[in-house]
Amino acid sequence: MTSPRFPTHRDAALALLHSDNRLTRKAGQFLGQLAVDTMPLSDAQAEWLTKLLDRAGLPGLAEGEEQ
């Protein structure tokens, strides 16, 4: 059974911030901004968020939420 994907980038960012995974200060600032900013993600932001989720062993974003 696969884990459900995050419906929004805010949900993904909050899950990363609440996880036990170590984050750099820069990653924490990035995730904090994603948690409060409803603007669509840029390609670079979506790529970085995907990498952070992968490293933490968390599911990715739901289809269509990457942008």
Side-chain angles (χ1 to χ4, degrees):
M1 181 155 111
T2 61
S3 298
R5 294 182 165 272
F6 293 104
T8 67
H9 62 264
R10 180 180 192 276
D11 293 324
L14 289 172
L16 281 163
L17 289 168
H18 284 272
S19 73
D20 290 334
N21 293 291
R22 291 187 51 90
L23 298 168
T24 64
R25 178 179 291 200
K26 188 174 179 180
Q29 290 172 333
F30 168 67
L31 293 170
Q33 180 166 346
L34 291 186
V36 298
D37 190 356
T38 59
M39 294 296 293
L41 299 178
S42 69
D43 290 340
Q45 288 174 318
E47 185 177 327
W48 191 11
L49 180 57
T50 298
K51 285 180 185 177
L52 291 171
L53 290 167
D54 286 343
R55 287 184 197 152
L58 294 171
L61 294 172
E63 292 298 316
E65 178 52 26
E66 286 82 14
Q67 294 270 336

